[in-house]
């Protein structure tokens, strides 16, 4: 069971974007950092366990060319083996900051090239794998940045071509030897999933076809892809083969965010947040799912959800037209 804890006030509502919440726990300082996007700015907040906000910072998208302020599409902390970077994506480019947002260490402008004036240009979908940070784009390409142990000498090392439509989300997990060679999955607006093996050169392992609806959010769990779709379904696939193991009619409306730690957390536009226990059958080895908890956020278009600690004992929720971060903890 979970109970409502003290919420964290925001200066303004979260934007109606999928995956619009990032959480970074800092155990050494007993703090939790939260990142939320609103229009052309991102709000960063630090909170103590009792929920009292200790610090706030606003980051703005780099202007670049154009007359109107660019809109931010996502903010996400990337935990690398040797440093933590805060990555911000927008309609102009990709910005990387030190973890507290105090110093911008890298800026990558998006090249619109010969794109039609009516087509939106943006970056969206952020994840780290080893010493790489991967960011999706409107064109379907995934940009791979090689991150040094310190300093601003970040290099665009590779562009991955697997999608024909805009990337929506990227998820990774640590490689676990030969039994789990696939350690990254990317999703797009058509529902297509691409499963990759990271390394000095990323390799496309398999593609899992879509079925006519977008896939706004994905996660990886011990070689299993958890994908949330625009029709409210959660599907679990074997990452290495693309075999469908489980299909859950989890929500009545489009799923907006998934998270893992170690249970699966799903949130959707139907105002519900669900927690699912994942396990493997000792006989067949297939993934099994058990529903554990449901939480309703009345009259709210939920747009982000994240666990606040690795054990999954607490989680946070953001919603459109909701000027606070809701927090829940187990009892």
């Amino acid at each position: 069971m979970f109970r409502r804890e003290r919420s964290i006030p925001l200066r303004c509502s979260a934007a109606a974007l999928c995956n619009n919440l990032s959480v970074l726990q800092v155990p050494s300082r007993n703090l939790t950092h939260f990142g939320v996007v609103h229009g052309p700015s991102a709000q960063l907040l630090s909170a103590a366990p009792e929920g009292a906000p200790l610090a706030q910072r606003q980051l703005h998208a780099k202007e670049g060319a154009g007359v109107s302020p660019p809109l931010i599409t996502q903010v996400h902390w990337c935990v690398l083996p040797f440093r933590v970077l805060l990555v911000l994506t927008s309609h102009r480019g990709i910005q990387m900051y030190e973890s507290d947002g105090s110093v911008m260490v890298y800026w990558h402008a998006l090249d619109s090239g010969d794109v039609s004036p009516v087509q939106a240009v943006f970056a969206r979908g952020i994840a780290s794998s080893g010493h790489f940070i991967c960011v999706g784009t409107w064109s379907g390409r995934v940009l791979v940045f090689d991150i040094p142990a310190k300093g601003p000498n970040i290099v665009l090392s590779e562009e991955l071509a697997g999608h024909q439509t805009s990337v929506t989300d990227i998820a990774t997990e640590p490689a676990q030897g030969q039994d789990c060679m696939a350690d990254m999955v990317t999703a797009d607006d058509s529902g297509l999933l691409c499963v990759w093996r990271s390394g000095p050169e990323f390799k496309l392992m398999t593609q899992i076809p879509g079925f006519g609806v977008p896939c706004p959010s994905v996660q990886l769990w011990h070689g299993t892809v958890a994908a949330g779709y625009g029709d409210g379904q959660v599907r679990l696939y074997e990452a290495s083969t693309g075999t469908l193991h489980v299909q859950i009619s989890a929500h009545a409306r489009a799923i907006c965010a998934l998270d893992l730690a170690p249970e699966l957390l799903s949130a959707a536009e139907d105002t519900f947040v669900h927690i699912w226990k994942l396990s493997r059958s000792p006989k067949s080895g297939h993934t099994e799912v058990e529903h554990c908890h449901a939480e309703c956020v009345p009259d709210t278009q939920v747009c982000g959800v994240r666990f606040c600690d690795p054990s999954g004992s607490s989680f946070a929720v953001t919603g459109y037209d909701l000027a606070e971060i809701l927090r829940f903890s187990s009892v």
Side-chain angles (χ1 to χ4, degrees), residues 85-238:
L85 292 181
L86 177 68
V87 182
L88 186 153
T89 57
S90 72
H91 289 248
R92 295 276 195 272
I94 301 160
Q95 297 162 232
M96 299 187 188
Y97 293 83
E98 296 294 353
S99 61
D100 61 357
S102 59
V103 179
M104 186 169 72
V105 296
Y106 183 73
W107 156 253
H108 177 85
L110 294 176
D111 182 11
S112 57
D114 297 326
V115 174
S116 165
V118 299
Q119 182 176 0
V121 174
F122 57 88
R124 179 179 62 189
I126 308 165
S128 59
S129 179
H131 58 91
F132 298 101
I133 289 179
C134 303
V135 181
T137 65
W138 85 100
S139 67
R141 289 191 170 261
V142 177
L143 308 182
V144 180
F145 298 93
D146 193 344
I147 312 298
K150 59 181 181 179
N153 297 321
I154 296 170
V155 177
L156 175 61
S157 61
E158 196 174 354
E159 294 189 21
L160 308 180
H163 296 277
Q164 300 300 314
T165 59
S166 302
V167 174
T168 53
D169 197 21
I170 303 176
T172 60
E173 70 173 344
Q176 301 175 12
Q178 295 300 313
D179 293 333
C180 185
M181 296 175 65
D183 57 2
M184 185 175 86
V185 59
T186 54
D188 70 20
D189 273 334
S190 73
L192 173 71
L193 306 177
C194 291
V195 181
W196 309 82
R197 182 180 66 197
S198 65
E201 291 187 3
F202 282 63
K203 181 179 179 181
L204 179 61
M205 304 294 292
T206 187
Q207 289 186 317
I208 302 172
F211 50 96
V213 293
C215 177
S217 194
V218 287
Q219 291 290 330
L220 268 174
W221 178 80
H222 302 307
T224 297
V225 177
Y229 291 91
D231 61 357
Q233 289 192 357
V234 174
R235 293 186 170 198
L236 304 182
Y237 301 91
E238 189 69 34

Side-chain angles (χ1 to χ4, degrees), residues 3 27 61 83 95 123 133 162 180 221 234 252 263 289 324 326 331:
R3 68 181 178 190
R83 68 195 293 190
Q95 297 162 232
I133 289 179
C180 185
W221 178 80
V234 174
E263 286 82 14
V289 180
E324 58 184 346
L326 305 180
V331 294

Side-chain angles (χ1 to χ4, degrees), residues 2 37 62 76 101 145 159 205 272 308 310 329:
F2 285 78
V37 171
K62 190 176 174 67
H76 184 73
F145 298 93
E159 294 189 21
M205 304 294 292
F272 277 92
C308 298
S329 63

